[in-house]
């Protein structure tokens, strides 16, 4: 069954726009997680950044205590974040590159370039019962490196596919779009062939999600911006429900 991970960082971003460094205030991402669950979310994703600019430690703590679906902690592979993850009770972490100035995660993790460090991080997480997924570009050398480091899953970056989809107006007969989708399919097959779970995410929306959801072997999609944006108009529960329908449509 294809699972949906709902990223609720943007809910925390709205809160922090008003309350800056405070630990409370509305909208509460913890309530958002419960609404997303009621809409059919299988996983809740939060990215606890080094600068805590949206999700805060208090959010992680309350979510692990109260959320009834799996929590996927997106994190940089730093000593501090490994310590936080190990003390948090989460069972899954997705390692991402982190840039201070970026609006959102911009590219995949260079697993090959920092393999020995990542092998240690994956092992440290595993000691605490946390499975590590690597957010990577659709690149076969990165997939092989992820396997060698002990990652149990790879989340393949769907940003280039989403950009091609927008440029092609969703017309799959356009070579640029079919090539981008083909790259995801090849990467997904390689992830599965290497014995890891194939996850996908970034810049997926209600229009472009169907073809990714239909890729052979894909187990999880991780989606934030499109769902939280639609929630402004229809509510989060309904926005998640609509995304689950869009995933099943193609
Ligand atoms: N997957 C990863 C690894 C991400 O960093 C993000 C953005 O935080 C997402 C998925 C969700 O991307 P979007 O908000 O574009 O749906």
């Amino acid at each position: 069954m294809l699972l949906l991970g709902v990223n609720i960082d943007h809910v925390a971003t709205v809160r922090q726009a008003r309350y800056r460094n405070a630990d409370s205030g509305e909208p509460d991402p913890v309530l958002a997680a419960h609404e997303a669950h009621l809409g059919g979310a299988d996983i809740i994703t939060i990215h606890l950044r080094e600068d805590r600019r949206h999700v805060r430690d208090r959010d992680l703590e309350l979510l692990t205590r109260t959320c009834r679906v799996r929590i996927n902690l997106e994190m940089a592979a730093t000593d501090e974040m490994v310590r936080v993850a190990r003390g948090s009770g989460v069972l899954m972490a997705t390692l991402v590159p982190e840039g201070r100035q970026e609006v959102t995660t911009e590219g995949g993790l260079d697993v090959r370039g920092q393999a020995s460090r990542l092998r240690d991080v994956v092992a440290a997480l595993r000691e605490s019962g946390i499975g590590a997924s690597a957010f990577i570009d659709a690149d076969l050398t990165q997939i092989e490196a992820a396997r060698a480091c002990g990652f149990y899953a790879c989340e393949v970056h769907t940003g280039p596919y989403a950009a091609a989809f927008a440029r092609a107006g969703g017309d799959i007969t356009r070579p640029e779009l079919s090539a981008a989708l083909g790259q995801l399919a090849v990467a997904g097959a390689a992830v599965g062939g290497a014995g890891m779970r194939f996850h996908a995410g970034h810049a997926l929306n209600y229009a472009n999600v169907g073809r990714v959801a239909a890729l052979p072997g894909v187990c999880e999609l991780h989606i934030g911006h499109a769902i939280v944006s639609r929630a402004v108009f229809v509510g989060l529960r309904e926005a998640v429900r609509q995304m689950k329908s869009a995933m099943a449509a193609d």
Side-chain angles (χ1 to χ4, degrees):
M1 193 183 81
L2 178 59
L3 304 180
L4 171 62
V6 176
N7 181 315
I8 55 170
D9 291 351
H10 286 327
V11 176
T13 298
V14 173
R15 179 189 61 190
Q16 297 318 117
R18 171 56 62 101
Y19 296 103
R20 292 289 161 201
N21 294 321
D23 260 351
S24 59
E26 72 287 336
D28 189 336
V30 178
L31 292 182
H34 296 303
E35 282 298 307
H37 178 194
L38 291 170
D42 303 290
I43 301 157
I44 297 296
T45 297
I46 51 169
H47 185 171
L48 189 66
R49 286 179 173 269
E50 185 193 10
D51 60 9
R52 308 298 197 267
R53 70 175 185 223
H54 41 52
V55 173
R56 314 274 293 176
D57 295 80
R58 163 267 186 204
D59 302 326
L60 174 62
E61 192 192 323
L62 278 178
L63 281 169
T64 51
R65 288 220 312 260
T66 63
C67 191
R68 289 289 152 259
V69 292
R70 176 157 46 104
I71 293 165
N72 170 30
L73 179 64
E74 273 185 26
M75 55 179 269
T78 61
D79 291 344
E80 188 222 354
M81 284 313 306
V82 170
R83 208 173 328 107
V84 169
R86 292 184 66 171
S88 70
V90 300
L91 299 177
M92 172 183 182
T94 299
L95 300 189
V96 297
E98 197 170 295
R100 254 168 206 265
Q101 300 304 324
E102 69 189 2
V103 175
T104 181
T105 315
E106 281 170 357
L109 189 65
D110 180 12
V111 181
R112 196 164 58 124
Q114 42 183 331
S116 67
R117 160 95 190 133
L118 290 176
R119 200 174 298 121
D120 292 346
V121 167
V122 170
L125 292 171
R126 194 188 303 116
E127 254 175 39
S128 296
I130 303 169
S133 170
F135 179 60
I136 53 166
D137 294 327
D139 174 331
L140 298 182
T141 63
Q142 296 293 349
I143 293 166
E144 173 48 29
R147 185 203 59 74
C149 287
F151 284 96
Y152 88 104
C154 287
E155 180 179 330
V156 179
H157 193 336
T158 47
Y161 156 80
F165 188 100
R167 281 192 295 269
D171 180 356
I172 196 63
T173 65
R174 295 271 292 272
E176 183 197 12
L177 178 54
S178 59
L181 187 64
Q183 274 180 357
L184 290 179
V186 169
V191 170
M196 296 179 287
R197 281 169 63 86
F198 171 28
H199 302 170
H202 214 281
L204 294 176
N205 59 37
Y206 294 86
N208 67 25
V209 74
R211 291 192 184 278
V212 177
L215 288 172
V218 66
C219 308
E220 292 179 15
L221 299 182
H222 293 274
I223 307 177
H225 183 83
I227 293 173
V228 175
S229 300
R230 185 163 292 194
V232 172
F233 302 105
V234 303
L236 188 53
R237 209 183 289 195
E238 177 58 20
V240 172
R241 216 178 271 137
Q242 291 181 12
M243 184 55 79
K244 293 280 279 202
S245 302
M247 284 162 59
D250 255 44

